[in-house]
Amino acid sequence: MTPEGNVLLELDDIQSGVLRPRPTPYVATYIALRIDDRNAGRELMRRVSSVVTPAANPTSPLADTWVSVALTYQGLKALGVPQSSLDSFAWEFQQGMAARAKELGDTGESSPENWERPLGTGDVHLVLVAVSPNDQQLETALDPARKAYREMRGIEAIWRQDCHALPTETEPFGFRDGIGHPAIEGSGIPGTNSKEQPLKAGEFILGYRDELGGIQRTQPEILGRNGTYVVFRKLHQRVAAFRQFLKVNSASPEDEELLAAKMMGRWRSGAPLALCPFQDDAKLGADRRRNNDFLYEEDDPAGFKTPGGSHIRRTNPRDASVAGVVRLHRMIRRGTAYGPLLPEGVVEDDGLDRGLMFAFVGAHLGRQFEFVQTQWINDGVFFGAGAAKDPIVGSKDEASSFTIPRRPVRRRLQGLHRFVVTRGGEYCFMPGLQAMRWLAELQT
Ligand code: HEM
């Protein structure tokens, strides 16, 4: 704490990838490793702890490139972490993402038996993530990380996913992404919505006070301190099906754009319906100081501008009156695109795999990620819309509906199917740098 009572985050111990918004444009690589020998795993932790950059100097342009290291529960086990320590982690993390599939809506095509191997099998122990504004810097950052495990007996690289910004600088459905970022006490990184009070650091980092006054701790404390939970999900996007849906339900190309905006809550340019409900404003969409600076309740309680069921209003209702306390369900979120762009205008599926590597960062897997996924994305009860799911990312095994509030009568669209299929994912823990060294020195 400072004399003024402000929280001081130990930024030199927190991994850079935790707090920092990803650069735009970007390239990113995810590498999954399996630890077959605990001593090799510990040596790996020692080596990678010197490759990971800390979050200190949060606004330095050089820190736009980073390598992060995260471990699954099975990974902590493979390193020989004692059971009493393992038991002190969040129970959802102990279960792992595949075991939570039913609750998360990972059913039907999205269910773990259809996931890309080895995701969800228990073999993924450690995930290395490198993010950078360009290929050259990515390679420079990744090289020492690769050297740390290459040719090491007992460590196997078992999966890799490369991501890159699309030429349109949007996610595959065509929307600008990476706009909103919560303000976090003590992080030194400004939030993007001046109307949102900074969130307590304990919402995102273990070892600090959270919004409910509690502090998440592990046994021993050094293992969890300055760490956080990270959720990785490989989400395949059915871009052609999404475009077809817009076309079939619109009278003109302008109508298609409006329908897309109503489903997302933002025009494709990023401009929010809350600030420009009738037509796109590309300048506003690109303006980082203005494009996230809004609330809903005062001038749009019924969702005439931004439907309550749109993706961004569901996943962060801000001040809108909904069941629940919104501040308890905030998250740091990063999306990086994989696969080729589906050329503009194409509405036939070309069979290629494209989508988003979705990453969540937060100290509360249950009340942040799982709550948003189950209650806000895959249900509509919280704002009075029955069972209607998120029109874009909802897990729709059966057709869902989407309502656009309108005068004199609302518009209700039926027959929305899955536009996003889960290809796999993992619940991970991203330890602080000291914790990485603690893991390296384990003697069990
Ligand atoms: C392929 C799947 C997804 C796509 C294409 C997608 C796309 C987007 C886009 C374009 C935005 C607006 C940009 C921004 O506000 O930064 C956004 C915002 C957001 N998304 Fe998603 N998203 C996906 C999945 C998810 C999932 C699975 C979650 C949570 C479990 C989620 C949570 C959020 C949140 C919290 C916001 C910020 C809302 C706000 O603060 O206004 N998204 N998403």
Side-chain angles (χ1 to χ4, degrees):
M1 288 267 184
T2 62
E4 299 80 43
N6 294 328
V7 177
L8 276 182
L9 281 180
E10 291 163 8
L11 295 174
D12 53 355
D13 193 40
I14 298 170
Q15 295 194 38
S16 188
V18 173
L19 294 169
R20 209 179 157 86
R22 68 146 169 73
T24 306
Y26 61 84
V27 284
T29 293
Y30 290 77
I31 299 171
L33 304 176
R34 193 184 62 226
I35 301 167
D36 294 327
D37 174 284
R38 65 171 58 169
N39 289 321
R42 291 168 185 174
E43 174 59 16
L44 176 67
M45 291 311 292
R46 192 186 63 71
R47 292 186 190 176
V48 289
S49 68
S50 61
V51 172
V52 168
T53 37
N57 306 322
T59 48
S60 136
L62 281 178
D64 258 356
T65 297
W66 68 74
V67 173
S68 307
V69 172
L71 291 148
T72 61
Y73 177 77
Q74 297 303 331
L76 291 175
K77 256 179 130 166
L79 288 172
V81 171
Q83 195 60 43
S84 56
S85 296
L86 293 169
D87 291 345
S88 66
F89 282 87
W91 72 269
E92 298 89 350
F93 170 72
Q94 296 182 36
Q95 302 254 304
M97 188 188 289
R100 305 288 298 147
K102 234 167 118 194
E103 287 75 13
L104 297 174
D106 287 337
T107 49
E109 293 164 280
S110 288
S111 65
E113 61 265 27
N114 298 323
W115 285 4
E116 203 171 296
R117 304 281 118 171
L119 302 175
T121 60
D123 275 356
V124 175
H125 292 163
L126 188 145
V127 181
L128 271 173
V129 188
V131 180
S132 171
N134 57 56
D135 285 316
Q136 201 188 347
Q137 273 171 256
L138 185 89
E139 278 309 306
T140 311
L142 204 51
D143 197 44
R146 277 204 221 100
K147 280 196 182 120
Y149 65 80
R150 206 185 279 148
E151 290 165 27
M152 197 196 267
R153 282 168 138 222
I155 305 289
E156 207 65 54
I158 53 174
W159 184 80
R160 172 180 177 147
Q161 180 65 59
D162 292 327
C163 297
H164 51 83
L166 294 173
T168 46
E169 295 202 353
T170 63
E171 52 70 45
F173 288 140
F175 296 91
R176 182 191 295 273
D177 198 6
I179 298 173
H181 198 280
I184 303 158
E185 274 189 17
S187 73
I189 298 172
T192 47
N193 184 358
S194 70
K195 295 166 177 65
E196 183 178 61
Q197 283 296 319
L199 289 144
K200 296 273 179 240
E203 289 298 301
F204 301 99
I205 317 280
L206 272 67
Y208 299 84
R209 210 160 284 288
D210 64 23
E211 289 284 320
L212 290 173
I215 299 180
Q216 295 272 306
R217 289 195 175 94
T218 57
Q219 185 57 250
E221 192 171 349
I222 187 175
L223 178 55
R225 188 167 178 83
N226 293 322
T228 188
Y229 293 102
V230 181
V231 172
F232 298 119
R233 272 163 92 70
K234 182 172 177 178
L235 300 174
H236 167 72
Q237 293 178 240
R238 292 194 165 137
V239 178
F242 179 66
R243 290 182 186 171
Q244 281 169 24
F245 178 82
L246 297 178
K247 223 178 186 47
V248 167
N249 289 287
S250 306
S252 65
E254 293 73 37
D255 250 22
E256 282 182 43
E257 288 309 298
L258 180 62
L259 176 55
K262 289 286 182 186
M263 290 165 82
M264 178 55 77
R266 291 184 185 274
W267 300 90
R268 296 197 207 235
S269 70
L273 286 174
L275 299 179
C276 53
F278 303 114
Q279 61 192 44
D280 193 3
D281 177 346
K283 236 170 134 183
L284 169 62
D287 186 340
R288 293 192 158 272
R289 278 168 309 145
R290 293 191 296 142
N291 61 11
N292 198 40
D293 213 17
F294 60 90
L295 295 173
Y296 296 120
E297 189 60 17
E298 196 178 324
D299 66 342
D300 191 24
F304 286 116
K305 294 180 183 175
T306 315
S310 62
H311 178 61
I312 68 158
R313 188 155 169 171
R314 277 174 178 269
T315 51
N316 180 12
R318 304 184 185 218
D319 63 333
S321 111
V322 293
V325 179
V326 172
R327 286 175 72 77
L328 299 181
H329 312 296
R330 299 285 285 118
M331 63 178 76
I332 298 175
R333 180 192 62 91
R334 285 196 201 102
T336 48
Y338 72 88
L341 180 78
L342 186 66
E344 209 180 317
V346 174
V347 291
E348 292 308 320
D349 188 14
D350 60 3
L352 298 177
D353 191 12
R354 55 175 61 81
L356 207 66
M357 276 300 292
F358 167 90
F360 152 98
V361 176
H364 302 273
L365 261 184
R367 74 163 156 83
Q368 292 172 327
F369 171 70
E370 288 205 349
F371 182 92
V372 172
Q373 176 73 22
T374 59
Q375 306 300 308
W376 287 356
I377 288 183
N378 284 333
D379 206 344
V381 170
F382 74 103
F383 75 105
K389 298 182 179 189
D390 185 313
I392 298 182
V393 314
S395 316
K396 301 182 282 280
D397 286 333
E398 283 143 29
S400 180
S401 65
F402 174 56
T403 302
I404 304 176
R406 245 184 6 181
R407 290 192 185 91
V409 275
R410 67 186 179 199
R411 178 172 188 208
R412 174 165 287 177
L413 292 134
Q414 304 284 0
L416 280 86
H417 288 276
R418 258 185 204 278
F419 296 123
V420 172
V421 181
T422 310
R423 290 269 198 250
E426 296 288 347
Y427 283 171
C428 296
F429 185 73
M430 203 175 262
L433 274 80
Q434 280 197 65
M436 289 173 74
R437 290 190 283 270
W438 183 87
L439 288 165
E441 280 153 28
L442 269 171
Q443 298 291 336
T444 54

